[in-house]
Amino acid sequence: MRTRLTRRNFAQAAGAAVITASTPILDASAQATVPAANTGRGFPEGFLWGTATASYQIEGAVTEDGRGPSIWDVFSHTRGNTRDGATGDVADDHYHRYKSDIQLMKALGAKVYRFSVAWPRVFPSGVGTPNPKGLDFYDRLVDELLANGIDPYMTLYHWDLPQALQDRWGGWESRDTSRAFADYAGYVAAKLTDRVKHLFTLNELTVIVDLGYGSGVFAPGLKLPPEQLYQTRHNVLIGHGLGVQAIRAQAQAGTKVGIAENTAIAIPIIETPEDIAAARVAMREMNAGYLTAILEGRYTDAYLATAGANAPKFTSEDMKAISSPLDFVGINVYAPNAYVRSIDAAPGYLSIPFPASFPHMESKWLRIGPETLYWAPRHLAEIWGVKDIYITENGASAADVPADDGMVYDTDRIMYLRNYLANLQRATTEGVPVKGYFLWSLLDNFEWADGYNNRFGLYHVDYATQKRTAKLSASFYRAVMAANQVV
Ligand code: PNW
């Protein structure tokens, strides 16, 4: 009888070692990995390396210590909204395990950590009387980070809007929510900036607006008509701007404020001066509703022309608030949005359609485009003169499955990271002012509508036991950080 040639016995047939429970194999969490020496072609001295997470995706403990419900509690508990009906009720139970999770960061050698504050822990109904127990959690978290030599970078809004504000005002459909955000942001800044020196207002404006209020695939799950959608987008920009102002008014001296935005990213198809210029034009227009407005203080003509009668109502005061000066710009970089070439006709660029075979990670939207980590920061520096750039997120999803020996050999994630980081290294080598990089994510976690299937962590989480296991990519990333160079 012929044996069916499976992947495993093919490898055996080919003479390769196969990992079984009894195979002595390197421990992904061990210190055994020898970092390559920095040859001088690595990242700039003092480059900041870390990981990123967000409150609803990791904390769990959704009814504990007076936390109010958020739009993601309600949305995820509504049938059909998330894969397998997943919710963040427990998630990584980080609320109770933050101390040991900080030890995981320490074991990696990470120097910075980006986390988010859950607004409904601090103000259970969005406005009104703060809940001291809610803030206490972040107080303890910050102390524990600092005690372990890790500098906290804090996001104020990573999508968990208090449900009370959705019920009361339609959430970001109303400018009342923008004002409430500023009050909350100022309050947290006053309490924590004695120790937290870097703040981000909002995370990923386009996801808040276009996925939450446009397509409705994310909370609050609305499909607004264009006119309301444009106004909602404007309100989110106002929320960011008022938030910056409130933070500046309330924070201790020396506090730095920025944003964590996922810009749409245009890549020149060929590195000719013409295609590069075309990519800059594309980049500016593709972000016209968001970062372009924030950094320029105006909507582009093309944006307003496209909006037509649906254009948002705004005043010059609004635009002034929206473009309140920032200390740095954070960008979440994952997938290329467009490969462009130069054309003579308006608007001067052409987006090439993606071929069906274009590779992606487990998340279908996560097209693999390593050059994004070169071009996105370079565009920021060249178009808007941004002098301090952080990569606030970059990472890869997979349906990681532990091998027979319990380890996770995520060579796909390592391949992804190595290629993206090589492009970031090219950018910093050429003088693009990127100051730090936060890998998404420390742990597998609640990946929003994709539930728990799409894993982004350096540490695998067994959700039945909450056991964390370092994936092979954790060894890789630790070596990169230690060498300050792609290895
Ligand atoms: C970002 N898309 O989200 C978020 O900031 C994280 O919370 C999230 O876990 C991470 O990236 C990975 O997804 C995105 O559909 C979610 O294009 C969806 C999209 C982009 C970013």
Side-chain angles (χ1 to χ4, degrees):
M1 206 184 88
R2 282 187 52 174
T3 346
R4 211 166 62 86
L5 202 60
T6 62
R7 224 179 277 185
R8 167 163 301 191
N9 58 31
F10 175 76
Q12 272 161 345
V18 167
I19 291 155
T20 66
S22 56
T23 312
I25 184 86
L26 76 162
D27 175 356
S29 68
Q31 302 296 323
T33 318
V34 181
N38 188 322
T39 59
R41 283 178 279 109
F43 288 89
E45 213 186 304
F47 190 83
L48 295 168
W49 294 102
T51 59
T53 64
S55 45
Y56 190 69
Q57 296 181 270
I58 64 167
E59 286 177 359
V62 289
T63 56
E64 224 157 304
D65 293 333
R67 178 186 179 276
S70 80
I71 55 173
W72 268 97
D73 295 279
V74 173
F75 183 81
S76 66
H77 277 273
T78 306
R79 185 182 284 274
N81 282 341
T82 62
R83 183 168 172 153
D84 304 326
T87 75
D89 288 0
V90 179
D92 292 331
D93 193 33
H94 173 76
Y95 194 77
H96 302 114
R97 296 168 193 263
Y98 70 96
K99 285 191 178 173
S100 47
D101 287 341
I102 288 172
Q103 291 311 308
L104 301 180
M105 299 174 205
K106 203 177 173 183
L108 289 172
K111 289 291 181 292
V112 289
Y113 173 55
R114 173 174 175 246
F115 65 95
S116 81
V117 175
W119 182 351
R121 285 198 193 280
V122 183
F123 289 93
S125 51
V127 291
T129 316
N131 165 36
K133 281 191 172 174
L135 192 81
D136 276 356
F137 170 68
Y138 301 104
D139 208 76
R140 296 194 301 275
L141 177 74
V142 165
D143 282 344
E144 189 72 14
L145 286 164
L146 291 170
N148 284 280
I150 298 165
D151 198 14
Y153 281 59
M154 182 166 79
T155 309
L156 288 154
Y157 185 76
H158 202 124
W159 311 347
D160 38 5
L161 184 76
Q163 178 64 32
L165 300 188
Q166 192 62 44
D167 296 340
R168 191 166 166 189
W169 294 322
W172 293 104
E173 278 191 72
S174 163
R175 186 186 281 239
D176 290 325
T177 294
S178 319
R179 291 193 201 98
F181 171 72
D183 290 345
Y184 147 74
Y187 177 81
V188 176
K191 296 284 184 192
L192 296 181
T193 54
D194 56 333
R195 285 154 291 155
V196 181
K197 296 302 178 191
H198 296 84
L199 271 56
F200 307 96
T201 53
L202 310 179
N203 180 73
E204 299 197 348
L205 282 62
T206 176
V207 173
I208 299 170
V209 177
D210 298 287
L211 270 54
Y213 294 80
S215 65
V217 298
F218 277 14
L222 299 177
K223 293 189 172 86
L224 297 182
E227 191 180 349
Q228 277 112 293
L229 191 63
Y230 272 103
Q231 201 62 45
T232 300
R233 186 175 299 128
H234 184 70
N235 292 339
V236 168
L237 292 180
I238 293 277
H240 157 76
L242 296 180
V244 172
Q245 295 179 353
I247 290 165
R248 295 227 190 273
Q250 303 283 323
Q252 305 239 339
T255 303
K256 298 197 168 175
V257 192
I259 193 168
E261 174 63 316
N262 59 335
T263 58
I265 303 167
I267 297 175
I269 204 81
I270 302 176
E271 286 194 36
T272 61
E274 293 77 17
D275 284 359
I276 293 171
R280 276 199 295 268
V281 175
M283 181 85 183
R284 190 168 163 265
E285 287 304 343
M286 285 159 58
N287 294 289
Y290 300 107
L291 199 62
T292 306
I294 289 170
L295 296 178
E296 298 185 12
R298 62 184 292 270
Y299 291 121
T300 67
D301 297 340
Y303 182 75
L304 293 175
T306 305
N310 297 315
K313 316 277 172 295
F314 62 91
T315 64
S316 56
E317 255 91 88
D318 286 0
M319 300 316 289
K320 222 173 134 191
I322 287 170
S323 57
S324 299
L326 302 178
D327 297 304
F328 55 81
V329 174
I331 44 172
N332 298 350
V333 177
Y334 290 95
N337 300 79
Y339 285 88
V340 307
R341 51 171 294 206
S342 150
I343 50 163
D344 289 336
Y349 66 88
L350 183 74
S351 293
I352 313 297
F354 284 91
S357 60
F358 203 93
H360 60 78
M361 298 300 296
E362 181 72 10
S363 309
K364 296 281 180 286
W365 58 269
L366 217 181
R367 296 195 188 103
I368 302 171
E371 325 88 294
T372 50
L373 216 34
Y374 172 74
W375 284 106
R378 180 172 158 182
H379 285 324
L380 249 58
E382 288 184 350
I383 300 172
W384 297 295
V386 180
K387 297 213 165 46
D388 279 281
I389 301 169
Y390 288 95
I391 305 304
T392 33
E393 288 181 27
N394 170 242
S397 58
D400 303 286
V401 178
D404 292 351
D405 63 356
M407 305 292 294
V408 179
Y409 299 99
D410 54 340
T411 45
D412 48 356
R413 183 171 289 101
I414 293 173
M415 174 277 287
Y416 173 106
L417 291 172
R418 183 178 278 127
N419 284 285
Y420 274 71
L421 286 172
N423 276 275
L424 183 62
Q425 186 168 274
R426 176 184 169 201
T428 56
T429 303
E430 293 177 9
V432 178
V434 182
K435 307 297 178 186
Y437 171 91
F438 298 84
L439 193 148
W440 186 271
S441 182
L442 177 70
L443 306 165
D444 292 342
N445 59 49
F446 174 74
E447 178 52 16
W448 308 113
D450 286 329
Y452 293 96
N453 179 70
N454 297 18
R455 295 168 178 268
F456 275 90
L458 291 173
Y459 285 88
H460 179 271
V461 176
D462 178 338
Y463 292 104
T465 62
Q466 288 294 339
K467 183 170 185 274
R468 279 86 160 123
T469 303
K471 301 178 191 175
L472 199 57
S473 56
S475 286
F476 167 76
Y477 191 45
R478 192 180 54 233
V480 169
M481 292 190 282
N484 201 32
Q485 178 170 340
V486 179
V487 294

